[in-house]
Amino acid sequence: MSSYRASGYWYDKGTSVPGAVDLLNLMRRFREAERKMRAQTRNSMGMNETDMSALRFLLAEHRKGVIPRQRDFAEELGISHASISVLIDRLCRDGYAERIVHPSDRRSVGIIPTQYSDTEVRGTLHEMHERMMDAVNMLSERERIAAAKFLEAMIRSVEIADRPTEPPAPKGTQSSGLAEGAIPSIQPDNA
C-alpha cells in the first residue's frame, strides 16, 4: 500500500508507485504549505500580501538590473496608480525601498531596494531556500527532467484554465441549434 494514500478531491486506488491522484494531492499539500509560509513571512516582516508581492517584484527587477517605475508596479500587481503610490510610500517609510531619479529619464522616478530589504528577505527565507535546494539536489538528472516535465504540464493546465472564455449568451437570445460545447462543421462555399 502506498504512503501517498489518496484523499480529498480526487480518488484512486493506492499503489506502491504514486499515481496521478497522489501527485495532485501532494501538489495541493505543497501549495498549502507554501501559502502558510508566505503568510508567516509577511507577518514576521509586518507586511500585507500586496506589499510582499511588490517587494518580490522589486528585488527580481533589481537582480535583472532593471529600475522599475511606479507604473511598472501598477502593471505587475494589477492595481491603480494611486494605490501604488501609497504602497511605495509604505515600502520607503519601512526601509525596504527608496525613490531615485530614474537614470534613463531624469523626469521620472525609479524605485530601488535598500540593503535592508535584501538583508531582511534573505535572512527570513535563507533556511527555507537551502532546504528547497537540498530537496532538488537529491534528485537524479532523470528525476529532475521528469519533475520539470510534470511541473511545466501543470503550469500549462492552469494557464489554459485561466484564459478568458466568452460569456454565455443572455437568456432569450437566439440559439445556434448546436448542443453546448459542440463544434460546428465548416462547409465549403460550393457545397
Side-chain angles (χ1 to χ4, degrees):
M1 181 167 265
S2 169
S3 62
Y4 299 99
R5 187 74 184 145
S7 65
Y9 299 125
W10 305 281
Y11 301 94
D12 198 1
K13 294 180 181 176
T15 64
S16 61
V17 175
V21 171
D22 300 319
L23 287 176
L24 292 173
N25 280 320
L26 288 170
M27 286 280 299
R28 186 175 46 160
R29 284 181 52 205
F30 173 77
R31 285 193 315 264
E32 181 60 20
E34 183 182 37
R35 185 196 62 74
K36 286 179 182 177
M37 176 276 301
R38 287 183 186 278
Q40 187 176 25
T41 301
R42 285 192 311 270
N43 290 339
S44 73
M45 294 176 73
M47 295 182 138
N48 65 36
E49 189 169 345
T50 305
D51 291 355
M52 194 65 176
S53 295
L55 183 57
R56 276 195 307 271
F57 172 69
L58 177 61
L59 292 171
E61 293 296 282
H62 181 70
R63 281 190 300 274
K64 293 188 276 187
V66 174
I67 298 176
R69 296 172 175 91
Q70 285 190 185
R71 69 175 178 245
D72 300 320
F73 284 87
E75 289 172 15
E76 175 69 19
L77 302 174
I79 57 180
S80 74
H81 292 276
S83 295
I84 283 297
S85 185
V86 171
L87 185 153
I88 299 298
D89 286 345
R90 264 194 318 271
L91 291 179
C92 291
R93 180 196 69 219
D94 295 343
Y96 293 107
E98 65 182 83
R99 289 180 170 96
I100 62 166
V101 174
H102 202 281
S104 67
D105 179 0
R106 311 262 327 141
R107 298 167 296 162
S108 184
V109 175
I111 313 301
I112 60 171
T114 62
Q115 182 62 44
Y116 171 74
S117 66
D118 189 53
T119 303
E120 180 75 7
V121 169
R122 285 182 191 274
T124 304
L125 302 176
H126 178 72
E127 286 183 28
M128 182 202 56
H129 286 162
E130 281 191 351
R131 289 191 307 268
M132 291 172 80
M133 284 302 294
D134 289 345
V136 172
N137 287 328
M138 287 178 11
L139 300 175
S140 68
E141 182 178 331
R142 179 179 237 150
E143 290 169 327
R144 287 193 309 272
I145 290 168
K149 180 180 176 183
F150 167 70
L151 291 171
E152 287 171 355
M154 293 302 291
I155 291 166
R156 282 192 308 275
S157 71
V158 172
E159 287 173 343
I160 290 169
D162 284 346
R163 288 186 189 149
T165 57
E166 289 188 29
K171 291 187 182 204
T173 60
Q174 190 163 347
S175 169
S176 66
L178 293 173
E180 186 174 328
I183 299 172
S185 61
I186 300 174
Q187 300 294 325
D189 290 338
N190 59 1

